[in-house]
Amino acid sequence: MIPSIAEAAKQIAARSLSPVELTQACLARAETIDPVVHAFIQQTPDRAIAEAKASEARVMKGESRGVLEGIPFAHKDIYETAGLATTAHSAVLKDHVPKADAYTVRKLADAGVVMLGKLSTHEFAFGGPSFDLPWQPARNPWNPDHMPAGSSSGTGAAVATGMILGGTGSDTGGSIRGPAALCGIAGIKPTYGRCSRMGVLPLAQTLDHTGPMAWTVEDCAILLQAMAGHDPADPASADVPVPDYRAGIGSGVKGLRIGVIRHFHETDNPVSPATLKGIDDAAAFFRKEGATVRDITLPSLAEFNACGWIILLAEAWSVHEAWMKRDTSLYGELLRDRLIMAAGLSAADYLAAQKKRLELTARAAAAAADCDILITAAQPGEAPRIDAVPKWGFLEKPNFTIPFNVTGWPGLTLCTGFGEGDLPVAMQLVAKPFQEALLFQAGDHYERAHAWRARRPALVG
Amino acid sequence: MQPPALSAADFAVLMAKAGLSPTPAQLASVHAVWGAMEAMQASVRTPPAGTAPLSAGAAAVEPAVTFTAERG
């Protein structure tokens, strides 16, 4: 039985679970499972055991750092870690050893987590799944022939299989919410500016978000509590008080106003039958529990995607321009060709997209004015085979997540069951800026009323 | 995906202007899907039907955001 963070925290606090034994159990799972799913770029078992022993000593002395004390954890390999390589899953940075921790890495360490290593990503959080990089791409923990989505793919696979209890992700167009959906876990992209990006390798500065991924919604709330906060070193960081993210958990959804963005997942990009059933069942559940549920219409997915992708590509090009002009051979084919495409955009394209962004955000805000939470898909369906992912898939069909990178609104993905191939399906709950607590309240209420958390991938045994 | 309006030769010029010299195969791979990017470029320049443009009183307004040539 793999505990959630909340369960493990209670047992550690009661001294009925040893952080060292918990860490050893995660390391043992990693030893057998990771050669199949490739979630880790680098494991740090010696460091993990040393940190777990220090954690256990604090607990025994009555000096626990709190709910994350002794929790096995790992970071997406774009989060800088002092003295430990941070590669972005790319040959470009394979020898990059930062001198300092990212702000959120430090905050989580100060909260007591035990770090087990660095996790696979798509190259620089954008190019993947790729087979021409120094490390294998992560695979789907429910069926390794399938993809786990990206770019926080290693985090999704490692959490689902219990190699860690929680991990960091980043989300520029859906890179937390996508892998959370296809790996059957929970993940939240907080409001833009809620968590610092200081020390996290950039993809696109005005769309980049950092956030947590974990097995349950409540665990995401616990992790966001530790990650959130103002950081003057990140110019986008919001100086907004951090509420108690678990305060609303257990209080149900009665009176909440929920809008279903039905055209996103039924017309703009029709989803699989199991995904649609999960969303419809969740909407019916929320209505039965006392929420008001109605359909709402936002600007189309195509409009959001055009705006988001132009901004993402233009900003990514500004990050990689110097390296690309010097030597493109260090990049994998996927990222290289996407950056070549980005180089074709003009300053006018970028400014037109930023202008469109304000318009789309204003239209979305007006449409959702009398809603507390929105529901739509997080992914179009079950995970595709990893060897059948189209190179230019992001241009072929609009995704469901980038609209909320464009608006900056928080989005939570959670499992809604299992579909074709017994692979997980998911929904995305969205709220207004800085209303993450509402997402946790509603998401946790749904999650506790359904049985999806009782299952782990067969690889876990 | 719609075919690109930009010719392969003009696309090569665009790449050279950006300081890149992709191989012919790389150029062809990206040019083949450039039509999707052209559709996105058009989308972000299309005002919403039946909706007034952002007014000068809107939040976060600046001239680059509110100005449109059509409005004179």
Side-chain angles (χ1 to χ4, degrees):
Chain A
M1 175 71 177
I2 302 166
S4 68
I5 291 174
E7 290 164 349
K10 280 182 194 160
Q11 294 170 34
I12 289 171
R15 300 183 184 178
S16 60
L17 177 63
S18 148
V20 175
E21 290 173 9
L22 179 62
T23 298
Q24 285 170 333
C26 288
L27 290 171
R29 277 191 287 275
E31 197 171 322
T32 58
I33 296 171
D34 200 51
V36 179
V37 299
H38 307 295
F40 281 94
I41 282 188
Q42 179 180 191
Q43 291 186 46
T44 54
D46 293 342
R47 174 177 173 161
I49 292 297
E51 288 184 3
K53 285 179 177 173
S55 174
E56 189 159 303
R58 288 194 294 271
V59 172
M60 297 312 286
K61 284 193 287 183
E63 296 173 356
S64 169
R65 293 177 175 177
V67 71
L68 288 175
E69 183 68 84
I71 298 299
F73 198 85
H75 294 287
K76 182 176 183 176
D77 205 25
I78 63 169
Y79 281 66
E80 293 201 317
T81 41
L84 192 64
T86 300
T87 68
H89 210 128
S90 177
V92 174
L93 290 183
K94 72 179 169 55
D95 300 318
H96 171 56
V97 179
K99 291 187 173 67
D101 285 335
Y103 180 83
T104 45
V105 168
R106 180 49 35 207
K107 285 197 81 170
L108 286 158
D110 289 345
V113 302
V114 171
M115 191 178 76
L116 272 62
K118 303 299 289 293
L119 297 162
S120 298
T121 166
H122 288 176
E123 187 175 23
F124 280 99
F126 191 34
S130 297
F131 293 88
D132 55 355
L133 302 177
W135 304 271
Q136 288 282 309
R139 288 172 177 268
N140 192 292
W142 298 87
N143 183 338
D145 290 335
H146 291 244
M147 77 172 294
S151 63
S152 308
S153 41
T155 314
V159 166
T161 50
M163 293 191 274
I164 52 176
L165 302 193
T168 47
S170 69
D171 193 316
T172 308
S175 287
I176 286 174
R177 292 160 289 161
L182 296 194
C183 294
I185 67 167
I188 183 161
K189 178 200 81 65
T191 307
Y192 184 73
R194 180 71 291 179
C195 292
S196 171
R197 292 96 43 89
M198 179 64 186
V200 178
L201 299 172
L203 171 54
Q205 64 192 43
T206 73
L207 298 168
D208 285 343
H209 300 64
T210 56
M213 300 164 72
W215 182 244
T216 69
V217 170
E218 182 183 21
D219 286 358
C220 285
I222 291 169
L223 291 171
L224 185 61
Q225 199 75 53
M227 292 178 73
H230 182 232
D231 174 15
D234 177 352
S237 179
D239 192 2
V240 174
V242 179
D244 178 355
Y245 287 125
R246 287 198 287 172
I249 284 181
S251 52
V253 296
K254 191 171 183 182
L256 285 185
R257 302 165 301 170
I258 296 179
V260 181
I261 321 171
R262 190 169 303 280
H263 66 96
F264 270 19
H265 54 265
E266 287 196 4
T267 311
D268 296 359
N269 186 3
V271 296
S272 75
T275 302
L276 182 60
K277 182 177 188 311
I279 294 167
D280 286 346
D281 287 354
F285 169 78
F286 287 134
R287 184 180 289 115
K288 180 175 72 71
E289 293 293 304
T292 304
V293 181
R294 68 178 182 87
D295 288 358
I296 69 161
T297 302
L298 265 52
S300 72
L301 271 186
E303 287 180 277
F304 275 118
N305 274 253
C307 174
W309 286 119
I310 286 179
I311 293 170
L312 189 154
L313 287 165
E315 292 181 355
W317 173 246
S318 79
V319 172
H320 290 272
E321 180 183 15
W323 287 331
M324 281 287 288
K325 285 181 175 175
R326 194 180 311 139
D327 183 8
T328 61
S329 70
L330 291 176
Y331 289 93
E333 177 188 339
L334 270 182
L335 182 58
R336 181 200 66 210
D337 285 1
R338 288 173 182 182
L339 290 171
I340 289 172
M341 168 172 278
L345 293 170
S346 68
D349 292 328
Y350 178 71
L351 288 171
Q354 287 288 12
K355 181 176 171 180
K356 174 64 82 174
R357 180 185 202 168
L358 291 179
E359 173 212 311
L360 291 173
T361 303
R363 288 165 62 195
D370 60 353
C371 291
D372 302 305
I373 288 177
L374 312 180
I375 308 181
T376 187
Q379 284 279 303
E382 298 81 342
R385 286 186 61 88
I386 198 167
D387 56 4
V389 178
K391 178 176 176 179
W392 298 104
F394 76 101
L395 296 176
E396 291 171 4
K397 293 203 170 158
N399 84 28
F400 298 97
T401 41
I402 205 168
F404 307 107
N405 298 85
V406 169
T407 64
W409 297 1
L412 170 73
T413 291
L414 63 158
C415 184
T416 54
F418 297 85
E420 194 173 324
D422 220 13
L423 291 163
V425 290
M427 66 175 164
Q428 178 182 196
L429 303 179
V430 176
K432 306 287 180 54
F434 302 104
Q435 298 302 310
E436 287 86 354
L438 274 183
L439 296 178
F440 295 134
Q441 178 183 332
D444 177 84
H445 190 64
Y446 169 89
E447 197 174 70
R448 286 179 195 278
H450 294 78
W452 317 129
R453 294 305 75 195
R455 283 184 65 182
R456 288 275 186 173
L459 275 173
V460 175
Chain B
M1 236 181 279
Q2 66 183 50
L6 192 69
S7 71
D10 286 346
F11 187 66
V13 171
L14 195 60
M15 290 298 106
K17 183 166 171 269
L20 291 179
S21 44
T23 66
Q26 291 165 7
L27 206 59
S29 168
V30 181
H31 180 252
V33 294
W34 185 251
M37 194 50 56
E38 290 173 340
M40 290 185 176
Q41 291 169 317
S43 173
V44 297
R45 288 172 170 82
T46 304
T51 306
L54 287 173
S55 72
V61 155
E62 54 182 301
V65 171
T66 55
F67 175 80
T68 62
E70 289 75 12
R71 285 195 294 155

